[in-house]
Amino acid sequence: MRVYEASISYNLVKLGENQTVNTPAKTVEYLESAFAAHPMQEAFWVILLDRKNRALGRVMISLGTLSNTLVHPREVFKPAFLASASAIIVAHNHPSGDPAPSAADLLVTRQLREAAKILDIILIDHVIVGHADSDPLGVGYYSFRATGLL
């Protein structure tokens, strides 16, 4: 039988004031360097937040291919429990630049919304990051909260 131990490791992202992440634009700004590390692969991130929506940290959940990445609610909420986060924002990028959600994006958002209710952790938003020049709306990101789907 194998016995495992869970632990949290912290890596300094940047120095400065504890940043409040409460809008899609701030989410994109907070994760800008994270997505720059793997620009040609979809990466799924979770931002861990305290009760005042101040970032406790960010965790990459999955690094996929050019067109998809695997995500499961268990993996998304595990870091939230370990960090005692009261809320999360999830985000992933579309290397194509078009931030419009796919059918898979809609499905995973529904799954995360239901899991968040059960676990009593607030899912504030799911943001898809693209590029303004590839976005028909010219924004460069898509927010499930802003469009009323969360």
Side-chain angles (χ1 to χ4, degrees), residues 14-16 29 33 65 70 78 87 100 104 118 124-125 129 142 149:
K14 67 179 182 177
L15 291 173
E29 178 186 334
S33 64
T65 65
L70 294 175
K78 186 187 310 182
I118 293 167
I124 293 176
D125 203 352
V129 180
Y142 179 90
L149 295 176

Side-chain angles (χ1 to χ4, degrees), residues 11-103:
N11 297 314
L12 183 63
V13 175
K14 67 179 182 177
L15 291 173
E17 289 186 34
N18 198 350
Q19 188 173 358
T20 301
V21 183
N22 56 4
T23 66
K26 286 187 178 185
T27 300
V28 172
E29 178 186 334
Y30 185 74
L31 290 173
E32 186 175 20
S33 64
F35 290 128
H38 303 282
M40 298 310 294
Q41 292 173 275
E42 274 198 21
F44 196 96
W45 287 80
V46 61
I47 301 173
L48 311 169
L49 303 167
D50 68 9
R51 295 186 59 79
K52 295 185 178 182
N53 293 342
R54 291 183 301 220
L56 299 170
R58 65 187 190 191
V59 178
M60 183 171 34
I61 301 302
S62 176
L63 181 62
T65 65
L66 178 66
S67 59
N68 63 37
T69 188
L70 294 175
V71 180
H72 190 279
R74 176 181 48 245
E75 303 306 319
V76 171
F77 287 99
K78 186 187 310 182
F81 278 117
L82 292 173
S84 296
S86 64
I88 62 169
I89 296 173
V90 296
H92 75 281
N93 64 322
H94 280 177
S96 68
D98 183 358
S102 66

